[in-house]
């Protein structure tokens, strides 16, 4: 940008705009009042830059170890514990049919009324009681060895369509997150297997990154529980396989697929 007489300041750069030399009385602290004064200021700033700049490196910082995050790997299933490809395909077909039915009911606006008043979408403890009754609470009391008088057993509700269709999508996502937490605390149950299947059937695509991470975590835990089963006749095995298959194949988590 400098004139021919200032070409030494610009090295091998070609002149872009014609401009006269800087005035002898040039004051760089004054704000440019014209385009020419602005170009003078650009030339002056360029002259302040060093031709070569070096940095003194601190050797001890270069040798600092870097944390490596290892990707979680699904627990391998024992021989004979995974469903056949045909079984998985049949499962996905029936699951897709159920999701289409749910979508049609939502689109029609003909939602059946829930059999009971539903808690708010942030009422974690109330939803726990609705899904499991107070068996979860009783198990926690037993786990903590509390000697207080335990409440009478109350049965949880089945994941009926009349309940599920009246839960907003944010509530579905919250329930999946909470069920994942409950699974970590007390392990797997048939009631929870039914709720997992039903909630996944109501989960809309595309998934948020948080929800995708959550259902992956659930499938990984189910795979870990499956790997710990002593026999392929265990009553939990079919439900565990269903959850893993749906998350892996329907929600496209290919690294979790059972081959």
């Amino acid at each position: 940008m400098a004139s021919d007489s200032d070409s030494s300041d610009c090295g091998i750069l070609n002149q872009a705009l014609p401009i006269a030399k800087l005035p002898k009385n040039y004051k760089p602290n004054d704000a440019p009042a014209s385009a020419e004064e602005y170009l003078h200021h650009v030339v002056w700033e360029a002259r302040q830059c060093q031709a070569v700049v070096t940095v003194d490196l601190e050797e001890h910082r270069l040798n600092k170890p870097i944390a490596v995050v290892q990707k979680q790997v699904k627990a391998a299933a024992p021989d004979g514990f995974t469903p056949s490809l045909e079984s998985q395909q049949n499962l996905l077909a029936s699951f897709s049919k159920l999701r289409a039915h749910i979508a049609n009911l939502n689109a029609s606006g003909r939602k059946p009324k829930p059999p009971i008043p539903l808690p708010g979408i942030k009422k974690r403890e109330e939803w726990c009681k609705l899904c499991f009754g107070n068996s979860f609470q009783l198990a926690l009391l037993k786990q903590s060895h509390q000697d207080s008088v335990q409440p009478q057993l109350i049965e949880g509700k089945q994941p009926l369509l009349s309940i599920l269709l009246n839960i907003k999508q944010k509530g579905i996502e919250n329930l999946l997150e909470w069920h994942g937490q409950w699974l970590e605390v007390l392990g797997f149950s048939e009631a929870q297997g039914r709720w997992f299947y039903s909630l996944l059937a109501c989960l809309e695509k595309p998934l948020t990154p948080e929800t995708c991470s959550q259902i992956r975590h659930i499938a990984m835990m189910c795979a870990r529980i499956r790997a710990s089963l002593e026999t392929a006749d265990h009553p939990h095995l079919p439900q565990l396989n269903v959850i893993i298959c749906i998350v892996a194949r329907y929600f496209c988590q290919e690294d979790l697929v059972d081959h």
Side-chain angles (χ1 to χ4, degrees):
M1 202 178 300
S3 64
D4 292 340
S5 60
D6 295 328
S7 61
S8 60
D9 293 330
C10 299
I12 63 173
L13 297 179
N14 294 324
Q15 180 177 340
L17 295 172
I19 184 171
K21 291 183 179 181
L22 292 180
K24 293 182 179 180
N25 62 344
Y26 177 71
K27 297 178 180 179
N29 293 329
D30 293 347
S34 65
E36 185 177 21
E37 289 184 7
Y38 172 77
L39 293 176
H40 282 158
H41 190 74
V42 172
V43 172
W44 178 84
E45 282 189 333
R47 290 179 178 179
Q48 311 311 307
C49 297
Q50 299 179 26
V52 178
V53 179
T54 61
V55 177
D56 294 329
L57 298 177
E58 299 179 26
E59 295 294 334
H60 68 280
R61 299 185 68 177
L62 292 177
N63 297 327
K64 186 176 180 179
I66 301 174
V68 177
V69 179
Q70 293 185 343
K71 182 179 179 180
Q72 287 188 322
V73 179
K74 186 185 75 171
D79 291 340
F81 279 51
T82 57
S84 66
L85 178 59
E86 182 181 1
S87 297
Q88 294 183 62
Q89 290 172 339
N90 292 336
L91 165 63
L92 292 175
S94 61
F95 183 71
S96 297
K97 186 176 179 180
L98 173 60
R99 283 178 63 89
H101 178 60
I102 291 173
N104 289 335
L105 288 174
N106 281 324
S108 68
R110 293 182 283 104
K111 299 179 182 179
K113 292 184 179 181
I116 55 172
L118 300 182
I121 61 172
K122 295 183 179 180
K123 302 291 186 179
R124 183 176 183 272
E125 293 184 1
E126 292 183 26
W127 275 107
C128 182
K129 189 173 182 179
L130 185 148
C131 295
F132 301 118
N134 62 350
S135 59
F136 187 84
Q137 177 188 5
L138 293 174
L140 288 177
L141 291 173
K142 182 178 180 180
Q143 194 177 72
S144 60
H145 305 290
Q146 294 189 17
D147 297 327
S148 57
V149 178
Q150 295 188 352
Q152 184 179 359
L153 179 64
I154 300 174
E155 294 294 333
K157 301 295 181 182
Q158 297 284 346
L160 305 173
L161 276 179
S162 57
I163 293 177
L164 295 165
L165 291 174
N166 287 281
I167 304 174
K168 295 180 180 180
Q169 192 61 202
K170 180 57 180 175
I172 297 292
E173 294 172 357
N174 286 350
L175 278 169
L176 278 168
E177 179 182 357
W178 296 337
H179 272 276
Q181 295 169 357
W182 298 330
L183 177 61
E184 287 188 281
V185 175
L186 289 178
F188 191 81
S189 67
E190 292 184 17
Q192 193 171 45
R194 289 190 290 270
W195 273 97
F196 273 135
Y197 181 85
S198 302
L199 291 170
L200 289 172
C202 295
L203 185 61
E204 295 177 359
K205 289 184 174 182
L207 303 182
T208 64
E210 294 77 12
T211 302
C212 183
S213 175
Q214 186 58 51
I215 65 171
R216 281 183 58 84
H217 181 58
I218 290 169
M220 297 282 275
M221 285 192 290
C222 288
R224 194 160 57 243
I225 295 170
R226 178 178 65 181
S228 68
L229 300 180
E230 296 181 355
T231 172
D233 296 328
H234 197 286
H236 290 172
L237 181 60
Q239 287 184 310
L240 293 169
N241 282 336
V242 165
I243 296 167
I244 295 169
C245 176
I246 290 173
V247 172
R249 293 190 181 273
Y250 191 88
F251 291 101
C252 305
Q253 305 304 305
E254 300 297 333
D255 60 312
L256 303 182
V257 168
D258 286 327
H259 296 287

